[in-house]
Amino acid sequence: RRSSDLAGLKVCIDPGHGGTESGALGPSGITEAEINLAIALKLKTLLEADGVNVCMTRTEDTDVSLQDRVDFARDHKVDLLISVHNNALPDGRDPLKEHGTSTYRYQPQSVELARTLKNSMVKELGLPDLGARYQNLALCRPTAMQAVLLEVAFVVNPDEYSHLINNEWQAKAAKSMLNGMLSYFGRQ
């Protein structure tokens, strides 16, 4: 096997939100759900090119419940569950001051994966490091696989949003996730 080969790995990519759950709304009206799906599809292409067996919880703008997403990953017996999101802030918080990249995990086996993916995104995207955090999220709770939720950037921050809706930057975000996985598996 090549040193950068992830062949045989099974990954479920979960583009967060979708359908009636649009997630955060950007300044020009593009939803988080649309951005999540665009980045997730680019990640799928990159992973498949490296021999990874990829399944996705959604490939279009459809409603998928949190439980259905978890069940889908479990039913496909994946090694990794990667939920792709972008962040927002509650009312009254300043998106010009609070922004950047973070990852979330719940199970102990996902600590290092969350950290490695976050480090790769921070390094390659040049956004502030908001940490790899513990959070009791549905997509992070499965025990049969390593499961992490990625918050690439903030939809409500004008600068980060302008990146998020840019096709090349979305590809760069997907590449940073691939590189994080390569690094995690010690193959880069």
Side-chain angles (χ1 to χ4, degrees):
R1 286 168 67 149
R2 296 188 340 256
S3 62
S4 65
D5 194 357
L6 297 176
L9 191 66
K10 287 180 164 180
V11 177
C12 178
I13 304 172
D14 171 51
H17 304 287
T20 56
E21 295 289 327
S22 60
L25 186 64
S28 69
I30 297 173
T31 66
E32 177 192 349
E34 293 174 79
I35 296 166
N36 296 346
L37 182 58
I39 293 171
L41 288 168
K42 288 170 176 61
L43 177 59
K44 177 182 188 281
T45 300
L46 289 173
L47 288 172
E48 287 178 340
D50 224 1
V52 176
N53 182 349
V54 179
C55 59
M56 292 184 66
T57 57
R58 69 181 181 93
T59 54
E60 50 194 37
D61 191 24
T62 52
D63 284 300
V64 184
S65 76
L66 293 176
Q67 190 58 54
D68 285 347
R69 293 167 194 261
V70 170
D71 291 345
F72 179 84
R74 192 175 292 123
D75 291 347
H76 282 80
K77 296 179 172 44
V78 298
D79 303 303
L80 306 179
L81 170 57
I82 308 289
S83 189
V84 177
H85 285 256
N86 284 282
N87 224 330
L89 287 170
D91 288 344
R93 305 258 295 270
D94 185 349
L96 300 180
K97 291 187 175 135
E98 293 182 68
H99 60 92
T101 300
S102 58
T103 56
Y104 294 87
R105 53 88 189 165
Y106 182 75
Q107 301 295 348
Q109 74 260 24
S110 300
V111 170
E112 189 61 24
L113 178 63
R115 189 187 65 76
T116 306
L117 286 169
K118 185 267 305 166
N119 287 347
S120 182
M121 289 191 297
V122 165
K123 177 181 161 197
E124 295 181 40
L125 301 177
L127 300 177
D129 184 340
L130 299 180
R133 303 171 175 182
Y134 171 88
Q135 189 76 42
N136 188 358
L137 301 169
L139 272 296
C140 295
R141 282 196 298 263
T143 55
M145 69 212 60
Q146 293 175 65
V148 295
L149 185 142
L150 314 180
E151 294 280 6
V152 180
F154 275 75
V155 175
V156 296
N157 175 282
D159 291 336
E160 291 183 12
Y161 176 75
S162 69
H163 291 314
L164 287 169
I165 61 174
N166 175 285
N167 194 47
E168 282 94 42
W169 201 88
Q170 291 170 354
K172 187 176 173 182
K175 181 82 166 134
S176 74
M177 295 169 193
L178 169 67
N179 289 341
M181 285 184 223
L182 289 166
S183 176
Y184 175 75
F185 286 103
R187 297 180 180 154
Q188 186 181 40

